[in-house]
Amino acid sequence: DWSRVEKVVEWIQCNAPEIDANWAKSYSEVHASNRFKVNMSFWELPVTPRNWVNILNSMDVVITLTQFIEDSYRNSGVTAPMVRMPQWFEIGPQLSGQRAHFGLPEEGFLFLSAFDVNSDPSRKNPMAAIEAFEQAFPEGQSSEPVHLVIKAGHIASNPIGATLIADIKERAAANPHIHLFQDMIPQEQMRTFYASFDAFVSLHRSEGLGLILMEMMGQAKPVLATAFSGN
């Protein structure tokens, strides 16, 4: 019974461009004053786009997950009240990896780098991880097997990354220590997949948060990351 509600809190957990410009029309005008709108979103650059600022300023409160995001919003003209609430995640018990189960190299030191084709591959910058790996471990000069696995998501559903995937496949074909992992992993197996590696490499040009970094560190894995943005 909406007539008995003094305030309805609407938690809108998506980035500003994804908020439907007409979302308010789902409620009658008589209830508009009863709504307290809270938005939690991610951004990865020092300047926030103007269309984001206008949408964020229509909120009653904006939740920011990092100081970087908060500074970007404030410096770009967001005047809505902001509350910084650091991201949390469940660490859980440290697991043993299952390299054979995932078809990974079973011997040696394994680096993981990951990106999703749906999330701007040029920003995720997987080729930088390959370049760094080949500089650090020239083929034939390592005293033990060292491998880099590039995990790519949503390859089949998004053609935008076709050129990048082809480049990665070419580099992997030329270097037996570089591997492209294309399989989709069920969510309940992700922590076991992460536990199968020895370290994570995140050389993103920018990143909204870097949740995989947190998850890998939660598995006591060292992380090499760009010292910028969400990282």
Side-chain angles (χ1 to χ4, degrees):
D1 183 356
W2 286 92
S3 65
R4 300 179 61 183
V5 176
E6 294 184 2
K7 279 291 182 181
V8 177
V9 176
E10 295 185 340
W11 184 284
I12 307 166
Q13 189 165 330
C14 64
N15 290 341
E18 299 161 353
I19 298 176
D20 183 358
N22 297 315
W23 65 281
K25 293 183 179 179
S26 62
Y27 301 93
S28 64
E29 291 298 323
V30 70
H31 300 133
S33 61
N34 287 350
R35 289 157 46 225
F36 188 87
K37 303 180 295 297
V38 180
N39 173 254
M40 188 177 80
S41 53
F42 294 92
W43 180 242
E44 64 270 3
L45 294 175
V47 177
T48 304
R50 171 51 53 185
N51 64 317
W52 281 54
V53 172
N54 294 336
I55 294 172
L56 292 172
N57 278 336
S58 72
M59 300 293 124
D60 293 294
V61 170
V62 174
I63 303 293
T64 58
L65 278 295
T66 69
Q67 186 66 55
F68 184 93
I69 295 173
E70 182 174 333
D71 290 344
S72 176
Y73 288 173
R74 290 193 188 281
N75 295 339
S76 301
V78 175
T79 56
M82 281 184 259
V83 176
R84 187 151 52 89
M85 184 180 70
Q87 175 71 44
W88 68 272
F89 71 104
E90 184 177 357
I91 295 177
Q94 292 182 15
L95 304 176
S96 298
Q98 298 180 15
R99 293 184 177 183
H101 173 76
F102 296 108
L104 301 170
E106 297 188 48
E107 301 295 330
F109 194 98
L110 262 63
F111 288 95
L112 171 66
S113 189
F115 73 100
D116 191 314
V117 175
N118 287 336
S119 188
D120 191 354
S122 64
R123 178 172 67 83
K124 297 294 186 178
N125 203 18
M127 295 304 292
I130 293 176
E131 296 287 350
F133 177 80
E134 291 189 327
Q135 289 182 35
F137 305 101
E139 189 175 356
Q141 297 186 26
S142 178
S143 59
E144 65 171 315
V146 181
H147 299 270
L148 170 66
V149 175
I150 305 291
K151 183 184 182 304
H154 295 104
I155 294 177
S157 63
N158 194 331
I160 199 170
T163 300
L164 175 60
I165 296 301
D167 289 343
I168 296 175
K169 287 182 176 179
E170 182 179 351
R171 299 294 283 269
N175 188 335
H177 297 279
I178 297 175
H179 313 269
L180 176 62
F181 189 96
Q182 305 178 62
D183 297 342
M184 295 300 292
I185 301 174
Q187 186 60 39
E188 63 271 15
Q189 297 183 24
M190 285 303 302
R191 292 180 63 248
T192 302
F193 178 75
Y194 293 152
S196 302
F197 292 86
D198 297 293
F200 185 71
V201 182
S202 173
L203 302 185
H204 297 2
R205 290 188 171 93
S206 60
E207 179 61 282
L209 177 69
L211 182 58
I212 299 181
L213 282 69
M214 300 170 68
E215 292 173 329
M216 290 293 285
M217 289 188 285
Q219 288 291 312
K221 306 295 182 180
V223 168
L224 296 84
T226 310
F228 173 68
S229 190
N231 290 358

